[in-house]
Amino acid sequence: MFFLLSKLAWFVLQPLLALLLLAACGWGLRRLGLPALGGIALGLSVVGLLLVLFSPLGLLMMNGLEQRFPKPELPERIDGIVVLGGSFDTRVARARGGDELNEAADRVTQAAALALQYPDAKLLFTGGVAAVLEDDIPEVDAAKTFFTSLGIPQERILLEGKARNTAENAVYSKPLANPQPGETWLLVTSAYHMPRAVGCFRSAGFDVLPYPVDFRTPSGPALWRPSSLVLRNAEKVDFALREYLGLFAYWMSGRIDSLFPRPARL
């Protein structure tokens, strides 16, 4: 139920659609003889659209998430690497055949590089089919092909294909990894997604070392310069808002124990 509700809620709350609905609401209020309220709704939709498309709002929102967990110094020994799904475009792959990477490809490419750097470490990929209305190609199938094609032995690869969200990634990964006291397991996912991912793994009792990849924002003065391609600005607002709402929903439902997980104190 949580999975379906989260999909439905995000469909309505995604920024561009929400602003369109607000504008439609304003138009409807004016038609109903409430010009003041309708004007306010239309004005807010226009201001919101300008902020989403032309301002650094998305960069600032994303950067707050990406800065939460800095990339760590790697220890001499790594026992395992957990990489979250989301790197494969399973919808396109189902239609076209083959394995297609998407904008989050850094998750699997960096995980593969780490696996080659640490030849004794297990490599655990977790990600099931998250589609609601149709079945896509399971990500674990694409991941297996991808990792073995790069020379990673199949016996080092662990595949978890039931998880449909981040909480399930953590819950289903722990028994498969079977981490032992004193072992070091890396958690690889997009930097903006790392706070929620770490919170879920902590709640599942799986101690991991966060290794963020797939950064989407610059630093310094460039952070205040939005892209000239306005849809990229809107995309960053979309990704960031979904993540903040996800943090709130996971916290309220008890899937993470803090609203904005932070690095563990040493």
Side-chain angles (χ1 to χ4, degrees):
M1 182 61 70
F2 179 86
F3 172 74
L4 292 175
L5 287 176
S6 65
K7 293 291 185 181
L8 178 61
W10 179 244
F11 176 77
V12 177
L13 293 174
Q14 53 187 313
L16 292 181
L17 179 58
L19 290 170
L20 180 61
L21 291 174
L22 182 60
C25 181
W27 179 83
L29 288 170
R30 292 175 66 88
R31 295 281 294 179
L32 291 173
L34 298 170
L37 287 176
I40 291 173
L42 286 169
L44 288 174
S45 66
V46 171
V47 171
L49 186 63
L50 292 174
L51 286 173
V52 167
L53 295 179
F54 298 103
S55 81
L57 177 63
L59 286 170
L60 296 171
M61 292 173 67
M62 285 281 283
N63 189 255
L65 293 163
E66 293 188 337
Q67 293 294 102
R68 193 65 165 176
F69 285 87
K71 188 169 288 187
E73 292 186 10
L74 291 173
E76 291 185 5
R77 176 178 174 81
I78 294 294
D79 297 284
I81 303 159
V82 181
V83 54
L84 302 192
S87 297
F88 297 98
D89 193 326
T90 54
R91 183 185 180 196
V92 172
R94 180 171 59 86
R96 298 286 187 176
D99 300 323
E100 296 293 333
L101 293 168
N102 60 25
E103 67 276 4
D106 281 7
R107 296 186 187 187
V108 290
T109 57
Q110 289 294 307
L114 289 165
L116 294 172
Q117 183 179 347
Y118 294 94
D120 295 326
K122 292 289 187 180
L123 178 59
L124 192 162
F125 178 91
T126 169
V129 177
V132 176
L133 300 178
E134 57 186 7
D135 289 333
D136 287 343
I137 294 173
E139 274 201 275
V140 290
D141 295 346
K144 180 180 178 180
T145 302
F146 177 79
F147 290 132
T148 55
S149 70
L150 295 177
I152 300 171
Q154 187 171 330
E155 57 269 19
R156 291 178 56 197
I157 302 172
L158 304 174
L159 300 172
E160 186 291 298
K162 295 188 297 181
R164 298 175 300 170
N165 57 40
T166 312
E168 292 181 354
N169 286 141
V171 170
Y172 295 148
S173 291
K174 185 183 179 182
L176 185 59
N178 190 27
Q180 300 300 306
E183 288 187 346
T184 300
W185 283 76
L186 294 183
L187 176 61
V188 178
T189 189
S190 301
Y192 71 88
H193 182 56
M194 188 60 78
R196 182 154 55 112
V198 168
C200 289
F201 274 76
R202 285 175 180 170
S203 293
F206 192 166
D207 187 27
V208 290
L209 177 62
Y211 192 85
V213 298
D214 182 31
F215 287 84
R216 308 287 180 97
T217 64
S219 60
L223 189 61
W224 296 89
R225 294 196 295 269
S227 173
S228 59
L229 301 176
V230 295
L231 288 182
R232 287 191 177 181
N233 300 325
E235 180 185 59
K236 287 181 172 58
V237 174
D238 182 277
F239 276 99
L241 181 60
R242 179 172 58 183
E243 202 58 39
Y244 284 116
L245 290 174
L247 284 165
F248 180 74
Y250 273 46
W251 177 60
M252 289 293 292
S253 61
R255 286 169 170 79
I256 57 178
D257 59 10
S258 62
L259 181 58
F260 197 19
R262 66 175 67 243
R265 294 181 179 179
L266 299 178

